[in-house]
């Protein structure tokens, strides 16, 4: 159980990092587009959001599934293979 708490806290940190990175990227990209008076790069923005968005969604899905499995184990409804 201790290991699961460490993993969840690490996952929470990575999810927070993904959100912060995407927010900073968006802000910086808009600032540079305004400063240079050029359009935003479509391909780079698509690739960055695809990578970090997928990473964040997979981690959040893993976190939700692990919480449901922990609740199932605590209630005793899980399958015990002994």
């Amino acid at each position: 159980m201790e290991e699961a708490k460490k993993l969840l806290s690490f996952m929470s940190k990575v999810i927070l990092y993904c959100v912060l990175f995407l927010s900073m990227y968006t802000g910086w990209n808009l600032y540079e587009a305004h400063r240079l008076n050029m359009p935003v790069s479509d391909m780079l923005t698509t690739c960055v959001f695809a990578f970090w968005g997928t990473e964040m969604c997979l981690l959040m899905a893993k976190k939700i599934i692990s919480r449901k499995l922990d609740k199932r184990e605590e209630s005793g409804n899980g399958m015990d293979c002994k």
Side-chain angles (χ1 to χ4, degrees):
M1 189 69 172
E2 181 80 24
E3 187 175 314
K5 286 184 181 181
K6 287 182 183 179
L7 178 63
L8 289 178
S9 66
F10 174 74
M11 287 170 52
S12 297
K13 290 177 186 176
V14 172
I15 290 170
L16 180 64
Y17 177 76
C18 288
V19 170
L20 289 175
F21 178 80
L22 288 175
S23 299
M24 288 175 34
Y25 172 78
T26 303
W28 184 258
N29 203 1
L30 290 174
Y31 170 74
E32 286 295 318
H34 176 71
R35 186 177 70 91
L36 297 174
N37 202 18
M38 294 178 64
V40 176
S41 171
D42 295 337
M43 182 62 85
L44 179 62
T45 301
T46 302
C47 292
V48 168
F49 271 86
F51 177 78
W52 290 102
T54 303
E55 181 75 22
M56 187 171 54
C57 288
L58 289 174
L59 283 172
M60 288 180 357
K62 186 175 181 180
K63 190 174 193 177
I64 290 169
I65 291 170
S66 67
R67 283 187 180 174
K68 286 187 177 184
L69 289 176
D70 287 343
K71 286 181 183 179
R72 185 177 290 172
E73 287 177 0
E74 288 175 3
S75 65
N77 293 337
M79 294 183 155
D80 292 329
C81 298
K82 292 183 180 181

